Amino acid sequence: MKSPTLRRWSVIHTWSSLVCTLFLLLLALTGLPLIFHHELEHLLGDAAVLREMPAGTAHLDLQQLVSKAEQHRPGEVVQYFGFDKDEPDGVLAITAASAGTEPNASHTFMLDARTGEAVAMPAANGGFMMLMLRLHVDLFAGLPGKLLLAFMGLLFIVAIISGTVLYAPFMRRLGFASVRRDKSRRLRWLDLHNLIGVVTLTWALTVGVTGVISALSDLVIAAWRNDSLAAMVAPYQDAPVLSERAPATRLLAIASEAAPGMRADFIAFPGTRFSSEHHYAVFMNGATHLTSHLFTPVLIDARTLEVTAVGDRPWYMDAMGLSQPLHFGDYGGRPMQILWAVLDILTIVVLGSGVYLWLDKRKRAREAKA
């Protein structure tokens, strides 16, 4: 007989698991291709491919690239420029009808930094990989979808903790990694469910916690805007509306002088949610695997090109920056991707076996009543 405490933990484990299982199955299934998104984009022909040119071909300056981007999307303005160390001759451009347009209504493409030629990026605007990403991130429901998935992630964490509590006395009776092959199918599945759950415990907690943090990214960014960014742009609170802004030509050089030893990851143009109405914001990061996901904003007056602030990183922005690549296994190259995929598949087995065990238990209960 279970003690009252274990019965309570059993109820918590059962219902926290059942409520979140369908969502977690969806997340595990959509997360699997996202682990290999770079490889799949190339395989599906959805990745931007720049044409070959002689090595060392000079790049256009940033303002010329801004003009090329807006010529490619007439009637739209540039919201962001992004830089990828793996594609030094390309600049990721994001444009929209206005600077403040929400992200899902923007358009993403690659600019060849040498010619200004626009190269389509189907994976960033539609297709299979975007379908997987939107289902995984917000269920095509925006912030409400993200908050729902964050709640499911919290239930998943509760299910992991409660399952560990329940498995501890079970281990004392049976021994770790034991599977009772001579017993009924239900008991074999119970043993496998417990065993795989324990083996994937640390990974599942890591993915669960980082998933919750990532799902709350909109709230984290809003907190940063209301706290750190608001403090940095406070002197401009009563400034007149920006009627003309300086060319973006020297932004990278100015930011590099303000944050030596760092490289530019992306530029937020005036009016976007990562800048202000009066600033270019150049987000700098480090060169190591760890620091490449930690961002330091350099705010540059959009009229005078003077550096007005070099922002500190709040802990919650660091947590968000580190959690997102860890969630998808982006830190350790191909071996980590394969490990993440194997653990993802094992988690699908745990979720599926949990549903089977619950349904079988209900079936036995109905038969006993009959």
Side-chain angles (χ1 to χ4, degrees):
M1 292 291 291
K2 290 180 181 178
S3 69
T5 300
L6 282 180
R7 279 199 296 271
R8 284 194 292 271
W9 277 111
S10 181
V11 170
I12 291 171
H13 181 69
T14 298
W15 290 106
S16 61
S17 301
L18 286 174
V19 171
C20 70
T21 289
L22 288 179
F23 291 95
L24 289 174
L25 278 171
L26 173 66
L27 293 174
L29 290 169
T30 56
L32 197 55
L34 291 174
I35 295 171
F36 301 100
H37 67 99
H38 290 297
E39 294 80 359
L40 286 174
E41 285 170 8
H42 285 281
L43 183 65
L44 297 172
D46 288 344
V49 180
L50 303 181
R51 59 190 176 97
E52 292 190 11
M53 296 182 68
T57 301
H59 290 185
L60 302 179
D61 69 47
L62 282 182
Q63 188 55 43
Q64 291 173 318
L65 291 174
V66 169
S67 300
K68 292 289 186 180
E70 292 179 347
Q71 287 170 18
H72 177 65
R73 301 285 299 179
E76 296 186 357
V77 298
V78 175
Q79 291 181 303
Y80 305 98
F81 272 172
F83 308 96
D84 186 346
K85 64 180 184 299
D86 296 325
E87 187 53 85
D89 291 322
V91 174
L92 189 71
I94 300 178
T95 64
S98 67
T101 298
E102 63 99 14
N104 290 326
S106 61
H107 189 84
T108 302
F109 52 96
M110 181 76 77
L111 284 173
D112 190 319
R114 303 159 298 182
T115 65
E117 177 185 7
V119 182
M121 297 183 68
N125 299 287
F128 174 73
M129 294 308 297
M130 180 54 71
L131 172 64
M132 293 295 100
L133 181 63
R134 288 298 305 276
L135 284 172
H136 193 85
V137 169
D138 65 3
L139 303 174
F140 286 92
L143 181 59
K146 291 181 179 181
L147 295 178
L148 174 62
L149 292 179
F151 179 62
M152 294 301 136
L154 289 174
L155 288 180
F156 181 47
I157 293 168
V158 171
I160 293 170
I161 295 171
S162 57
T164 304
V165 172
L166 291 171
Y167 189 57
F170 181 81
M171 279 179 60
R172 288 195 293 269
R173 294 199 310 269
L174 192 62
F176 179 74
S178 296
V179 177
R180 291 168 287 183
R181 300 180 185 277
D182 57 333
K183 299 296 183 179
S184 66
R185 183 174 64 176
R186 180 181 180 280
L187 284 177
R188 290 198 301 272
W189 271 112
L190 176 63
D191 292 346
L192 283 171
H193 177 82
N194 291 334
L195 173 60
I196 298 173
V198 169
V199 169
T200 59
L201 174 66
T202 301
W203 178 84
L205 270 175
T206 299
V207 171
V209 171
T210 55
V212 170
I213 295 172
S214 297
L216 297 175
S217 60
D218 284 359
L219 300 183
V220 172
I221 293 169
W224 173 77
R225 284 181 54 82
N226 293 329
D227 182 12
S228 297
L229 183 60
M232 288 188 286
V233 303
Y236 289 78
Q237 186 174 358
D238 298 321
V241 175
L242 185 68
S243 57
E244 185 177 344
R245 69 190 191 199
T249 306
R250 295 192 58 252
L251 289 181
L252 296 182
I254 293 169
S256 295
E257 292 174 6
M262 305 185 80
R263 58 177 292 275
D265 186 79
F266 72 95
I267 298 172
F269 284 73
T272 60
R273 65 175 181 163
F274 285 95
S275 64
S276 79
E277 297 292 339
H278 298 87
H279 291 86
Y280 293 105
V282 183
F283 284 77
M284 311 291 284
N285 56 20
T288 67
H289 272 305
L290 180 65
T291 59
S292 65
H293 300 289
L294 302 176
F295 299 100
T296 298
V298 177
L299 265 59
I300 301 172
D301 188 299
R303 186 175 60 83
T304 66
L305 294 185
E306 294 179 2
V307 174
T308 63
V310 178
D312 295 324
R313 294 192 307 265
W315 66 269
Y316 48 85
M317 289 294 282
D318 280 356
M320 185 182 74
L322 293 173
S323 68
Q324 291 175 342
L326 183 59
H327 186 72
F328 291 109
D330 283 351
Y331 278 115
R334 185 60 53 80
M336 190 169 180
Q337 286 179 303
I338 294 172
L339 175 62
W340 250 232
V342 170
L343 292 169
D344 187 289
I345 292 169
L346 289 175
T347 299
I348 293 172
V349 174
V350 172
L351 295 170
S353 60
V355 173
Y356 161 73
L357 291 168
W358 181 73
L359 291 174
D360 186 72
K361 183 177 180 180
R362 286 178 61 84
K363 177 183 174 183
R364 288 168 179 273
R366 285 196 300 269
E367 289 174 351
K369 285 183 180 179

